[in-house]
Amino acid sequence: MKKYFSVLKNKLNESSEAIEKVERKIEAVVEQYKYKSPSLEVKKKLEELYLQTEELKKLHEDIIKTIDQVEQISEYALGHKERLQYVPKRKQEQMRSQKNYKQ
C-alpha cells in the first residue's frame, strides 16, 4: 500500500510538472502573437495545447481523488497514527519554515 501511495505521489508531481510545461508553451505562443494575428496553423497548435492541458488537469484530478481514497483506506487499515498522507511539496516547505522560525 505504501509503495502504491508513493507511485501515486510521483505521478501527481509529474502531472503537475506536465501541466506547468504545457501552460508555459501556451503563454509563449500567446505572447509571441500578442500584437499580430496568428496563422491557422498556430491557432490549431494552440487549440491542441489547450486540449492537452484540459486532459492533463483531468488526469491530475483523478490522481488526487485516488490519493484521497488511499488515504482513507490507510486510515482504516493502518490506524490514525500510521495513516498515509500526501502533503504537497509546497506545504512541506511551509511547515518546515514555520518549524524553523519557531525554534
Side-chain angles (χ1 to χ4, degrees):
M1 191 176 202
K2 288 181 181 182
K3 185 176 181 179
Y4 179 66
F5 192 70
S6 178
V7 168
L8 285 173
K9 291 190 303 185
N10 288 336
K11 293 296 179 190
L12 187 64
N13 289 333
E14 288 172 8
S15 69
S16 292
E17 291 170 6
I19 290 168
E20 289 175 15
K21 185 177 179 180
V22 173
E23 286 179 341
R24 284 193 301 269
K25 285 181 183 179
I26 291 171
E27 289 174 14
V29 172
V30 169
E31 185 64 30
Q32 183 179 2
Y33 291 94
K34 191 173 184 176
Y35 299 109
K36 58 184 176 181
S37 182
S39 67
L40 184 58
E41 184 179 318
V42 171
K43 288 180 182 180
K44 285 183 181 180
K45 176 75 172 178
L46 263 177
E47 186 176 321
E48 289 173 14
L49 289 172
Y50 280 121
L51 290 173
Q52 187 178 10
T53 302
E54 292 306 312
E55 289 175 14
L56 286 169
K57 286 180 180 179
K58 184 182 179 326
L59 175 63
H60 187 81
E61 289 300 316
D62 290 345
I63 294 169
I64 289 172
K65 287 176 187 176
T66 303
I67 286 175
D68 288 343
Q69 290 172 344
V70 171
E71 286 178 340
Q72 289 174 0
I73 291 168
S74 74
E75 184 173 350
Y76 293 109
L78 302 173
H80 293 288
K81 291 181 181 177
E82 295 182 55
R83 177 182 179 207
L84 296 173
Q85 189 173 12
Y86 176 70
V87 180
K89 285 182 183 179
R90 292 180 189 138
K91 184 73 173 173
Q92 289 176 10
E93 291 168 1
Q94 287 175 342
M95 290 167 48
R96 274 191 226 119
S97 66
Q98 289 175 351
K99 191 179 211 181
N100 291 336
Y101 180 73
K102 288 179 183 179
Q103 293 175 355

